[in-house]
Amino acid sequence: MNSSCFYCQKDQRLENLMIKISDLHTSTLYLNKDQTHSGRSILALDSHKKELFGLSSSERQFFIEDLSNAAKALQKTFAPQKINYAIYGDVVSHLHVHLVPKYQQGPDWGGAFVHDPAVTKALTEQEYNQLADKIHQHLNLEGVRK
Ligand SMILES: [Zn+2]
């Protein structure tokens, strides 16, 4: 746990950016509040580690399983043409993956998605909750003990 990290503290800074969809094996899936790309989500590792090579082999396997599970749920929910995956963490070094569904007729198709677009697309709290519920229904939660 890191006292200055919002993924560890799960405080207001986190709530301003995302809402929780579900606990998974070794990570937590969140819906990104900027929905410029419909279904944009974030998968954050449960422990404060910086790089993939800092995880134990089994933790890494579970993390990749969680990532695949999350991506499949997004595919089923939003039917994008492709899902983009991005691990940055220059500023917030807690390991997390951006899952960004991409649409042929939508923004940034064929290129890298804009991480912090100048104009974001916000939804109502009710719409966020509905989307989170839909994604949650498509997750495979078998064996998830949290
Ligand atoms: Zn952290």
Side-chain angles (χ1 to χ4, degrees), residues 7-140:
Y7 284 112
C8 287
Q9 299 305 316
K10 299 181 175 19
D11 57 18
Q12 192 62 47
R13 291 171 297 170
L14 183 137
E15 287 173 25
N16 289 342
L17 294 170
M18 58 196 84
I19 70 161
K20 184 173 169 177
I21 298 170
S22 184
D23 289 314
L24 295 172
H25 287 288
T26 191
S27 61
T28 306
L29 182 62
Y30 297 97
L31 183 70
N32 194 308
K33 285 196 170 175
D34 173 21
Q35 286 292 298
T36 299
H37 304 84
S38 252
R40 181 172 173 179
S41 301
I42 294 169
L43 185 75
L45 186 72
D46 287 335
S47 57
H48 189 88
K49 290 178 182 165
K50 191 171 174 179
E51 305 288 357
L52 275 173
F53 56 73
L55 280 60
S56 71
S57 179
S58 70
E59 189 177 26
R60 189 164 44 243
Q61 282 175 32
F62 277 122
F63 188 61
I64 295 299
E65 276 303 315
D66 288 349
L67 181 58
S68 175
N69 187 6
K72 191 173 183 180
L74 293 177
Q75 185 67 46
K76 285 180 173 174
T77 308
F78 299 95
Q81 276 70 55
K82 181 68 182 85
I83 296 172
N84 289 181
Y85 307 84
I87 301 177
Y88 299 129
D90 297 355
V91 179
V92 181
S93 62
H94 186 126
L95 186 61
H96 64 283
V97 182
H98 297 273
L99 292 96
V100 183
K102 297 282 283 290
Y103 305 87
Q104 241 162 347
Q105 308 305 325
D108 308 320
W109 178 256
F113 70 91
V114 177
H115 185 266
D116 291 308
V119 179
T120 58
K121 183 179 176 186
L123 307 178
T124 65
E125 288 303 313
Q126 190 186 4
E127 289 169 326
Y128 286 132
N129 289 326
Q130 285 171 349
L131 280 188
D133 283 349
K134 274 191 200 167
I135 297 166
H136 191 274
Q137 285 168 20
H138 286 125
L139 288 166
N140 175 7

